[in-house]
Amino acid sequence: MTPDVLKNIADTLEARREAAPQSSYVASLFHKGEDAILKKVAEEAAETLLASKDKDKLHLVREVADLWFHTMVLLTYHGLRPEDVVMELHRREGISGLDEKASRKTT
């Protein structure tokens, strides 16, 4: 269902959740907490947008990889995995975007 590379990264991220902050970049992010992780996701999203505007495809791919990685850190922080996102994408498959959005409950 989920490509092996995403599963492998998710497994590594889970292993680093409780690791000492000085042991890895990811462990230090987890130690700093959700705000630090959210800041990295926002930063990588902005860099992705700028790479797109630059029309540099390799730069764009690298920035999207950074964005996906940091989003996976955020998922792990919340006890989620890429498989959870893939299941949601499967649920939406074949449904009009307009219909899917209209079916969401508003809060």
Side-chain angles (χ1 to χ4, degrees):
M1 187 182 262
T2 302
D4 287 343
V5 68
L6 296 180
K7 181 190 175 308
N8 295 341
I9 291 169
D11 291 345
T12 299
L13 293 175
E14 285 179 4
R16 298 212 173 132
R17 270 184 87 169
E18 304 302 325
Q22 65 274 16
S23 67
S24 76
Y25 167 72
V26 169
S28 73
L29 271 180
F30 284 130
H31 179 76
K32 291 175 187 172
E34 184 178 25
D35 286 348
I37 296 167
L38 293 173
K39 183 177 177 183
K40 280 305 295 182
V41 170
E43 177 185 309
E44 297 303 341
E47 290 174 2
T48 298
L49 299 176
L50 293 173
S52 178
K53 294 294 282 183
D54 287 344
K55 308 288 190 241
D56 181 336
K57 290 182 181 185
L58 178 58
H59 186 204
L60 177 59
V61 166
R62 289 177 173 166
E63 292 301 340
V64 169
D66 289 345
L67 177 58
W68 286 11
F69 177 82
H70 287 90
T71 301
M72 288 179 66
V73 172
L74 180 62
L75 287 171
T76 304
Y77 179 85
H78 287 284
L80 298 167
R81 293 186 53 91
E83 293 88 348
D84 297 306
V85 177
V86 170
M87 285 174 37
E88 175 61 12
L89 290 172
H90 278 295
R91 183 190 71 77
R92 294 181 184 189
E93 191 174 15
I95 299 172
S96 156
L98 296 174
D99 291 341
E100 194 284 324
K101 189 164 185 160
S103 72
R104 296 182 198 176
K105 294 179 182 176
T106 58
T107 57

